[in-house]
């Protein structure tokens, strides 16, 4: 039997492991939703950054809490977190199940709900509990959907529905997570895109938009976590080839117009265009006929008798 839960209600869990499934309806203008989990001690805070399971750190070092890949089914999209409660360390008092939106607020997310299953049961088993998560102000970008908590030797699940307008960063820091400074700057509106190792710096004054690329996942024990959602880098834009140098005109093409001849006073000399089939005029002035010109001697056939 499935317990339809209201905000603030709780239900006991008689199972060794649970699977918390977030489900929502995708569509145009609907932001993507990511599930995450925080393992809290009795103080209500994480013991270290390793106690945060999310998209850039999908598995706890103990292996007892893990985030599964997203799936699409007939009812929408799902993102899942599994927790092995029976083997959980005694220093873990609560496991908070949260959701964060990427690309908008939860005002635009339809039919967001969390379903709790017995992870040891078959795939066709009914959910143990169901809680519909609704936005209270419409400005939430992260929300605590529910929490698994100890009561003596047993575990319970509580429906929470507490929203955060500061996103996953605000939620995580409230529970003691150290957030990477560049990620915090981007959240505050001071865009500081990450650059993959070895990538060239953007040239100063460039007008090309740069797509943010997430830094590599921090190793275990890192003091800061990068909560930047991973995006594919934008491929470089093709550039236009340089202009071709001036070349001499090819054979058969009109040549450049020669400079007009000038007279002694610097005035241009008008040279009429030659008619077709007639000999071309000489450019330099010459005496015609030349002084040394002589007629050839006549042959005998031209001498009068």
């Amino acid at each position: 039997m499935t317990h339809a839960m209201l905000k603030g209600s709780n239900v006991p869990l008689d199972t060794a492991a649970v699977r918390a499934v977030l489900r929502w309806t995708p569509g145009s203008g609907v932001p993507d939703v990511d599930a995450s989990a925080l393992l809290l001690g009795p103080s209500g805070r994480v013991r270290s950054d390793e106690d945060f399971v999310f998209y850039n750190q999908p598995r706890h070092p103990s292996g007892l809490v893990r985030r599964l890949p997203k799936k699409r089914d007939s009812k929408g999209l799902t993102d899942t977190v599994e927790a092995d409660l029976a083997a959980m360390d005694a220093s873990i008092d609560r496991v908070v199940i949260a959701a964060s939106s990427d690309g908008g607020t939860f005002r635009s997310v339809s039919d967001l709900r969390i379903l709790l299953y017995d992870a040891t049961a078959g795939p066709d088993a009914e959910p143990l509990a169901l809680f519909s998560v609704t936005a209270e102000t419409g400005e939430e970008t992260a929300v605590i959907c529910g929490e698994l908590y100890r009561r003596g030797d047993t575990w319970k699940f509580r429906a929470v529905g507490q929203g955060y307008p500061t996103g996953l960063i605000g939620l995580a820091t409230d529970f003691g997570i150290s957030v990477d400074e560049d990620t915090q700057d981007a959240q505050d509106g001071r865009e500081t895109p990450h650059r993959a190792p070895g990538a060239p710096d953007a040239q100063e004054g460039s007008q090309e938009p740069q797509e943010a690329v997430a830094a590599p996942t921090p190793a275990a024990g890192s003091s800061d976590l990068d909560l930047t959602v991973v995006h594919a880098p934008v491929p470089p834009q093709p550039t236009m080839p340089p202009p071709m140098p001036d070349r001499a005109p090819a054979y058969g093409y009109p040549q450049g117009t020669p400079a007009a001849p000038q007279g002694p006073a610097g005035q241009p000399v008008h040279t009429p265009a030659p008619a077709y089939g007639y000999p071309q005029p000489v450019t330099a002035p010459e005496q015609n006929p030349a002084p040394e010109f002589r007629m050839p001697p006549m042959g005998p056939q031209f001498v009068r008798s």
Side-chain angles (χ1 to χ4, degrees), residues 32 39 49 58 68 82 94 103 112 150 157 159 168 183 185 191 248-249 257 284 288 297-298:
D32 195 19
L39 286 68
D49 288 346
L68 304 182
E82 284 188 348
R94 284 189 293 159
L112 178 65
R150 291 183 189 268
F157 175 75
L168 188 60
T183 306
D185 289 346
E191 296 184 3
T257 304
N288 190 13
M298 295 185 180

Side-chain angles (χ1 to χ4, degrees), residues 94-273:
R94 284 189 293 159
V95 178
V96 171
I97 308 297
S100 58
S101 61
D102 178 35
T105 66
F106 278 102
R107 184 196 302 274
S108 304
V109 180
S110 302
D111 302 325
L112 178 65
R113 57 184 59 189
I114 181 171
L115 300 99
L116 204 66
Y117 291 87
D118 182 353
T120 63
D124 298 328
E126 291 287 326
L128 303 175
L130 182 152
F131 173 49
S132 295
V133 184
T134 57
E136 294 180 337
T137 66
E139 301 302 320
E140 296 90 343
T141 50
V143 59
I144 297 177
C145 300
E147 61 180 12
L148 306 163
Y149 64 99
R150 291 183 189 268
R151 277 299 178 264
D153 296 333
T154 62
W155 286 84
K156 290 186 175 184
F157 175 75
R158 178 184 292 118
V160 179
Q162 178 184 351
Y164 285 77
T166 51
L168 188 60
I169 293 177
L171 185 151
T173 53
D174 274 2
F175 290 103
I177 296 295
S178 302
V179 178
D180 181 76
E181 291 182 0
D182 290 344
T183 306
Q184 184 65 57
D185 289 346
Q187 179 75 11
D188 293 340
R190 302 184 299 274
E191 296 184 3
T192 309
H194 293 281
R195 184 166 53 88
D201 292 327
Q203 293 183 358
E204 186 175 354
S206 174
Q207 299 299 320
E208 293 292 332
Q210 300 294 326
E211 180 78 10
V213 180
T217 303
S222 173
S223 60
D224 292 331
L225 288 182
D226 180 7
L227 305 188
T228 306
V229 180
V230 178
H231 295 286
V234 176
Q237 298 294 328
T239 56
M240 296 297 295
M244 298 296 293
D246 294 336
R247 297 180 179 178
Y251 176 78
Y253 284 84
Q255 308 299 315
T257 304
Q262 297 182 354
Q267 300 296 325
V269 178
H270 176 70
T271 304

Side-chain angles (χ1 to χ4, degrees), residues 13 25 34 40 83 117 137 149 160 204 216 286 304:
L13 301 175
T25 302
D34 295 296
L40 309 180
Y117 291 87
T137 66
Y149 64 99
V160 179
E204 186 175 354
E286 296 183 5
R304 293 181 181 181

